[in-house]
Amino acid sequence: SYVLTQPPSVSVAPGKTARITCGGNNIGGTSVHWYQQKPGQAPVLVIYYDSDRPSGIPERFSGSNSGNTATLTISRVEAGDEADYYCQVWDTSSDLGVFGGGTKLTVL
Amino acid sequence: QITLKESGPTLVKPTQTLTLTCTFSGFSLSTGGVGVGWIRQPPGKALEWLALIYWNDDKRYSPSLKSRLTITKDTSKNQVVLTMTNMDPVDTATYYCAHSFVAGTLHFDYWGQGTLVTVSS
């Protein structure tokens, strides 16, 4: 089955840029979706189809996807961005869902 | 607006069968392209996709749990039911249901609040 690999943690100072990666075999050949999950809350979709933002998600959140790595970029990081972030793909060859292992973003 | 809510037992014993219900509003599971999925999250661990049912009653299951899972829908009641057999303490998790729309590759745009299920004797 398809495997998505994320770094367990990323730390960034307020106002700086955070980049969270999601690795997978030829992941650039499919669409990647990203979720933000704060403690005790359900996940929230922040990026879909690699780089689209749902309504209500700040423009500071952006995404890219190429080759074997997809990246969620958070610009001008705020304390409120501290959360776990998960990437997800739908493996079209098997028609099954896959989540990455999650990355804890810490705002220093 | 789209809302989903999970319901079911908070505590089940090992070997028992878990039945969870997702009750939703704001969309119909008879509309082409719509799906409802189940995702779980053990305490302190990552999200794990479990199952999905499409508007046309097509179903998909996680390969690792396929033998234990059944997903069904009741369109008239706006409900999706997930059953998981032979529960084990490692199945202790928060279980979420989520809405999806199949346009391109599938993602989950609306989530329920989740329900914590503990497996213990």
Side-chain angles (χ1 to χ4, degrees):
Chain A
S1 60
Y2 197 75
V3 176
L4 297 175
T5 301
Q6 297 183 238
S9 63
V10 168
S11 299
V12 63
K16 300 299 186 182
T17 298
R19 294 179 178 85
I20 299 171
T21 58
C22 176
N25 185 32
N26 193 30
I27 195 173
T30 189
S31 293
V32 178
H33 318 293
W34 290 92
Y35 303 86
Q36 175 193 69
Q37 186 181 35
K38 296 182 178 179
Q41 298 183 18
V44 172
L45 181 70
V46 293
I47 292 289
Y48 62 105
Y49 298 147
D50 297 338
S51 58
D52 290 345
R53 276 177 292 104
S55 61
I57 301 301
E59 292 183 7
R60 301 185 296 104
F61 288 80
S62 62
S64 62
N65 185 17
S66 179
N68 293 318
T69 305
T71 303
L72 172 69
T73 301
I74 309 172
S75 305
R76 302 181 299 282
V77 167
E78 303 173 356
D81 298 331
E82 191 163 278
D84 294 325
Y85 291 85
Y86 295 90
C87 58
Q88 177 249 317
V89 302
W90 193 262
D91 184 356
T92 53
S93 64
S94 59
D95 203 11
L96 301 173
V98 183
F99 283 94
T103 297
K104 180 176 181 58
L105 177 68
T106 299
V107 181
L108 300 171
Chain B
Q1 76 280 19
I2 290 175
T3 63
L4 305 97
K5 187 173 183 179
E6 307 85 354
S7 59
T10 57
L11 179 67
V12 298
K13 290 180 168 50
T15 75
Q16 286 186 336
T17 294
L18 171 68
T19 300
L20 293 173
T21 300
C22 176
T23 303
F24 56 84
S25 63
F27 68 95
S28 171
L29 202 37
S30 60
T31 300
V34 174
V36 172
W38 285 93
I39 302 99
R40 72 177 180 180
Q41 184 174 38
K45 296 189 177 181
L47 301 171
E48 179 184 17
W49 175 76
L50 300 177
L52 182 94
I53 189 164
Y54 290 101
W55 79 97
N56 60 2
D57 209 37
D58 204 4
K59 302 162 187 177
R60 295 291 182 267
Y61 297 101
S62 167
S64 62
L65 294 166
K66 185 174 184 178
S67 63
R68 299 172 54 205
L69 294 174
T70 303
I71 190 170
T72 60
K73 64 181 176 73
D74 186 330
T75 304
S76 65
K77 293 183 178 179
N78 281 351
Q79 291 181 334
V80 171
V81 174
L82 181 76
T83 61
M84 181 180 293
T85 61
N86 194 24
M87 293 292 285
D88 182 272
V90 300
D91 297 313
T92 294
T94 296
Y95 287 76
Y96 298 97
C97 63
H99 168 276
S100 64
F101 187 80
V102 182
T105 65
L106 195 146
H107 57 278
F108 300 101
D109 49 5
Y110 296 91
W111 293 63
Q113 63 189 22
T115 185
L116 176 60
V117 178
T118 301
V119 184
S120 175
S121 55

